[in-house]
Amino acid sequence: MTIQDAGAARPAGRPRSEKAEKAILEATLDLIGEGMGISELSIEAIAARAGVGKTTIYRRWSNKEDLVVDALATLKAPVPPLAGESVRDDLVTLLDQMRDESGHVRTKCVMNIALSESDRYPHLFEKFRKIAIEPRRAAMRQVLERGMASGELRSTLEIELAMAILTGTMVWFTKWGDTSDRGPELAEGIVDQVLAGIAP
């Protein structure tokens, strides 16, 4: 495809600017991280912080909720690659990513503030769950199902309950526990304790 062809295929309006999009997403996260709730957040405030016009934002997002979802989703790294050689190693990889993300002060602050308003914005957080949370849950579910099939885990294992135990324990530690002296071994400890109870 030639440059001219690419230009002809582009929808009407100015070309999308990755720099502008990044500035808008960062401005949204900055404002939330500074304590501004989603209900207080406005397109005007985001535009002013990002140094763009409101039309630049509306050209990319039809409303504030969609923008906030995309901004929150950038705080979540892609699902890490899993070796697929042992249930233990793959679970440690998934939990350690949770621990690592919680170590970023800005990420932790933004997520705490944003999720505290989930009852007021159920549509927003349902979209966020599908974009950022469900892919991780699907990966963990596949690891546990593989373990049941291979005999590494009990064939009668309640997968949803096991997932809640694994992730819930990590969430507890990263929110309220003392993780200052616990690095990757925290994930290993959680997985080993849980596996002791769900192994054959």
Side-chain angles (χ1 to χ4, degrees):
M1 178 185 288
T2 66
I3 294 176
Q4 188 173 13
D5 291 334
R10 184 178 292 125
R14 296 180 184 175
R16 293 169 70 90
S17 165
E18 289 185 11
K19 184 177 180 181
E21 287 189 11
K22 183 176 180 181
I24 293 165
L25 293 171
E26 286 293 312
T28 303
L29 295 174
D30 285 343
L31 291 169
I32 296 174
E34 291 168 8
M36 184 177 287
I38 295 174
S39 56
E40 303 167 296
L41 191 65
S42 67
I43 295 296
E44 290 80 2
I46 296 169
R49 177 64 66 94
V52 300
K54 289 193 296 182
T55 54
T56 301
I57 295 178
Y58 283 119
R59 194 177 295 126
R60 294 160 172 79
W61 294 277
S62 59
N63 56 60
K64 180 177 70 174
E65 287 191 7
D66 288 343
L67 170 53
V68 171
V69 168
D70 284 351
L72 293 178
T74 66
L75 297 175
K76 295 287 188 181
V79 176
L82 303 175
E85 296 175 358
S86 81
V87 167
R88 179 189 183 276
D89 291 349
D90 287 350
L91 290 177
V92 167
T93 297
L94 290 169
L95 287 193
D96 196 48
Q97 185 184 56
M98 290 179 64
R99 179 201 61 79
D100 182 61
E101 289 177 348
S102 71
H104 302 289
V105 176
R106 181 196 191 208
T107 298
K108 191 172 184 178
C109 179
V110 169
M111 293 304 295
N112 285 343
I113 292 172
L115 293 176
S116 69
E117 296 195 55
S118 58
D119 290 341
R120 296 186 65 181
Y121 296 93
H123 175 67
L124 185 158
F125 287 97
E126 176 61 20
K127 291 177 68 175
F128 175 71
R129 184 186 66 78
K130 289 180 179 178
I131 293 172
I133 297 176
E134 191 51 43
R136 294 152 181 260
R137 286 177 52 78
M140 183 173 288
R141 190 178 294 111
Q142 289 173 1
V143 171
L144 295 175
E145 289 174 346
R146 192 185 75 230
M148 293 170 67
S150 68
E152 292 175 79
L153 302 177
R154 288 204 310 262
S155 60
T156 57
L157 175 67
E158 292 186 40
I159 289 182
E160 292 299 316
L161 183 57
M163 290 170 59
I165 294 170
L166 287 160
T167 58
T169 305
M170 179 59 79
V171 168
W172 186 91
F173 269 102
T174 56
K175 279 185 173 292
W176 301 290
D178 180 12
T179 59
S180 58
D181 60 345
R182 306 188 72 166
E185 65 271 16
L186 175 60
E188 295 178 359
I190 292 172
V191 170
D192 287 342
Q193 287 290 323
V194 174
L195 287 180
I198 63 177

